[in-house]
Amino acid sequence: MKHYLPRILDTLLEERLNAKGAVLIQGPKWCGKTTTAKQKAKSFISIDQPDMTKQYQQMAELSPSILLEGETPRLVDEWQIAPNLWNAVRYEVDNRDEFGQFILTGSAVPNEFDESMHTGAGRISRLLMRPMSLYESKDSSGEVSLKDLFEGKSISAAGETSLKKIAFLICRGGWPKAIGLDEKPALFQAIDYYDALVSNDISRVDSIKRDKEKAKRLLKSYARHVGTQSSLETLRQDMLANQSDTFDQVTLYSYLDALRKIFVIEDSPAWNPNLRSKTSIRTTATRYFSDPSIATASLGIGPNDLLDDLNTMGFLFENLCVRDLRIYTDYLDGTVYHYRDKNGLECDAVIHLRNGSYGLIEIKLGGDKLIEEGAKTLKDLSSKIDTKNMSKPSFMMVLCAKAAFAYKRKDGVYVIPITKLKP
């Protein structure tokens, strides 16, 4: 059995269990939800156990409290298979009036999640788990802390990661089963995930039969538009190129809704700061997968293909960085946005913390020219922000794949390799 690699969510789960009656951990299949939950649970039940699922579903309808008996915190794995357990957990939390009673894990939002199911507000706290960040998989040294950047502390780190290694990390993804394996079996994990996704998961989420080939085409189109604000109509037209069949808007929305419910795609919302002048801000979300390896598997490409096409690699590297920034930012109690205005000024990532602090981030593969471009963009955006009505950025950072050092430039912009970053 593989040794458990600590996750950033461990701390968040501990905090929530100390403050709420139940915690729901959601996220993509195979990202490690159950394994992490088991580190804290004192007893557990797996609703997807093949020889017991039907019985568990019947019991959840007839007498759900029996399934919730056991030492606490009690883990209910894949609870969404028996959705009535949600209300049962909520009732038990109220009845027991104690914190840390249950952990629920689920790799899909149940189709039956409707008005009859109480929101669980105040009783059930939600956490989103993603595949592992580079810091969690030990591929980042963690010498530079995002928290330190917000606090204005000095940073320093040396040592360069090759583009070849970065290409591998993009294609391998953060799937726990892939960590520590040789290259070929490590890369196969994402391919296997993709195959299960198009063959079963996209239909099983809401019991609507979806066409495997159309699912493949949609994922391929989404992968081609990663890191852009392409409209859904653009995606649809891209799917129809050289195809004789149809794929209308209603069908597209159905497929996309299914992919969101199983946490395959996770777009980045637009940031809306106070600006000195009236500039129209684009509100379209930026297209991303929960893990960059889903994009490479959808495109049918590997590390060498990325090295032969650095433009594509740049967009998929951006997806990798956004994944890590989201994981780190959850730890800091914040949200990751993107910025783009009508004049084309764009910032790849804006980390906004609940206390109002924010940092501006441009993502580049590396090289003096690209780093210089990123720094200019950051300074241009910073100069447009109305600091009378909001604070100035806590930091500006070019997050890159390839740089010999992590350092602060004379103009105040940080240059930091993703393989040096931690929360």
Side-chain angles (χ1 to χ4, degrees):
M1 186 173 175
K2 288 179 75 171
H3 174 67
Y4 179 72
L5 289 174
R7 304 294 293 268
I8 289 166
L9 196 101
D10 293 337
T11 303
L12 300 179
L13 177 56
E14 180 80 30
E15 290 173 352
R16 301 292 177 91
L17 286 171
N18 289 332
K20 294 291 178 182
V23 181
L24 167 64
I25 307 175
Q26 294 178 296
K29 198 162 77 170
W30 301 358
C31 76
K33 300 180 297 297
T34 304
T35 306
T36 290
K38 282 182 176 178
Q39 307 306 307
K40 302 291 183 190
K42 297 288 176 57
S43 67
F44 74 92
I45 181 171
S46 299
I47 305 301
D48 65 344
Q49 186 179 326
D51 57 341
M52 293 296 293
T53 296
K54 285 272 193 293
Q55 291 182 54
Y56 286 154
Q57 286 175 321
Q58 290 171 356
M59 188 62 74
E61 291 298 322
L62 298 172
S63 187
S65 61
I66 292 177
L67 299 179
L68 302 181
E69 291 175 2
E71 198 174 350
T72 61
R74 181 160 175 79
L75 166 61
V76 183
D77 191 30
E78 297 296 348
W79 73 274
Q80 78 281 354
I81 294 170
N84 195 50
L85 284 173
W86 180 268
N87 281 339
V89 166
R90 180 185 62 82
Y91 175 80
E92 282 295 325
V93 167
D94 279 351
N95 195 40
R96 299 179 188 184
D97 195 25
E98 291 182 22
F99 293 147
Q101 295 299 296
F102 302 103
I103 305 171
L104 307 179
T105 61
S107 52
V109 177
N111 198 40
E112 296 87 350
F113 207 93
D114 56 26
E115 289 78 11
S116 68
M117 299 175 71
H118 190 283
T119 62
R123 302 168 180 86
I124 305 175
S125 186
R126 297 167 187 253
L127 291 171
L128 176 58
M129 190 174 201
R130 302 175 180 88
M132 298 175 92
S133 64
L134 296 185
Y135 180 63
E136 292 169 305
S137 64
K138 308 298 183 188
D139 294 295
S140 167
S141 65
E143 293 168 85
V144 178
S145 162
L146 202 54
K147 185 172 183 283
D148 286 349
L149 293 177
F150 272 106
E151 294 174 355
K153 295 180 181 176
S154 60
I155 59 104
S156 176
E160 195 165 8
T161 303
S162 68
L163 274 185
K164 184 178 180 182
K165 177 70 182 292
I166 295 293
F168 167 72
L169 294 174
I170 290 169
C171 297
R172 183 201 69 187
W175 310 105
K177 293 285 188 189
I179 309 305
L181 296 180
D182 291 338
E183 182 167 332
K184 190 171 182 179
L187 292 172
F188 185 72
Q189 304 307 312
I191 296 167
D192 203 21
Y193 173 90
Y194 167 78
D195 286 343
L197 167 60
V198 296
S199 300
N200 301 306
D201 297 343
I202 195 170
S203 296
R204 196 163 53 191
V205 61
D206 50 13
S207 301
I208 296 174
K209 182 65 179 170
R210 294 186 172 87
D211 183 86
K212 180 177 179 179
E213 292 309 311
K214 286 182 177 177
K216 285 182 175 181
R217 277 159 46 200
L218 174 56
L219 288 165
K220 192 171 187 177
S221 178
Y222 222 91
R224 282 200 290 256
H225 290 88
V226 157
T228 74
Q229 293 86 44
S230 297
S231 68
L232 296 182
E233 179 59 21
T234 299
L235 293 176
R236 193 177 75 86
Q237 292 297 334
D238 185 42
M239 288 179 62
L240 293 174
N242 303 314
Q243 298 294 330
S244 57
D245 62 350
T246 59
F247 197 85
D248 60 32
Q249 285 187 341
V250 173
T251 307
L252 173 65
Y253 294 155
S254 169
Y255 277 59
L256 289 174
D257 187 50
L259 291 174
R260 290 189 187 97
K261 282 183 174 179
I262 53 178
F263 308 99
V264 172
I265 55 177
E266 186 182 357
D267 294 344
S268 190
W271 186 55
N272 197 352
N274 292 309
L275 301 177
R276 296 180 195 278
S277 59
K278 289 184 179 179
T279 302
S280 180
I281 296 170
R282 302 293 188 222
T283 57
T284 307
T286 304
R287 312 293 171 200
Y288 291 115
F289 288 93
S290 57
D291 191 272
S293 66
I294 306 173
T296 58
S298 300
L299 292 168
I301 59 177
N304 290 334
D305 300 301
L306 291 181
L307 293 171
D308 290 337
D309 182 357
L310 293 182
N311 186 53
T312 297
M313 183 173 174
F315 284 111
L316 298 182
F317 173 67
E318 184 178 316
N319 199 152
L320 178 143
C321 291
V322 168
R323 177 202 67 194
D324 283 15
L325 290 173
R326 284 168 169 164
I327 294 168
Y328 302 159
T329 301
D330 282 350
Y331 183 78
L332 300 177
D333 198 15
T335 306
V336 178
Y337 299 93
H338 86 274
Y339 174 88
R340 189 179 186 191
D341 63 30
K342 67 174 184 181
N343 301 316
L345 181 61
E346 189 171 2
C347 186
D348 296 323
V350 180
I351 296 178
H352 205 122
L353 304 187
R354 186 169 292 195
N355 65 11
S357 302
Y358 65 95
L360 307 178
I361 302 168
E362 271 287 277
I363 299 169
K364 303 290 183 185
L365 275 180
D368 292 344
K369 186 180 177 209
L370 288 176
I371 289 172
E372 202 58 53
E373 285 176 8
K376 182 180 184 305
T377 296
L378 294 169
K379 290 182 287 185
D380 285 351
L381 176 54
S382 179
S383 70
K384 292 178 183 292
I385 292 170
D386 185 355
T387 51
K388 289 180 182 177
N389 290 302
M390 65 185 294
S391 60
K392 66 179 185 178
S394 297
F395 65 87
M396 295 180 286
M397 168 172 61
V398 178
L399 189 59
C400 57
K402 194 170 171 59
F405 304 95
Y407 62 98
K408 187 176 184 180
R409 293 165 34 121
K410 289 181 180 178
D411 57 11
V413 175
Y414 291 93
V415 177
I416 299 173
I418 188 66
T419 51
K420 301 297 177 189
L421 200 61
K422 72 174 182 179

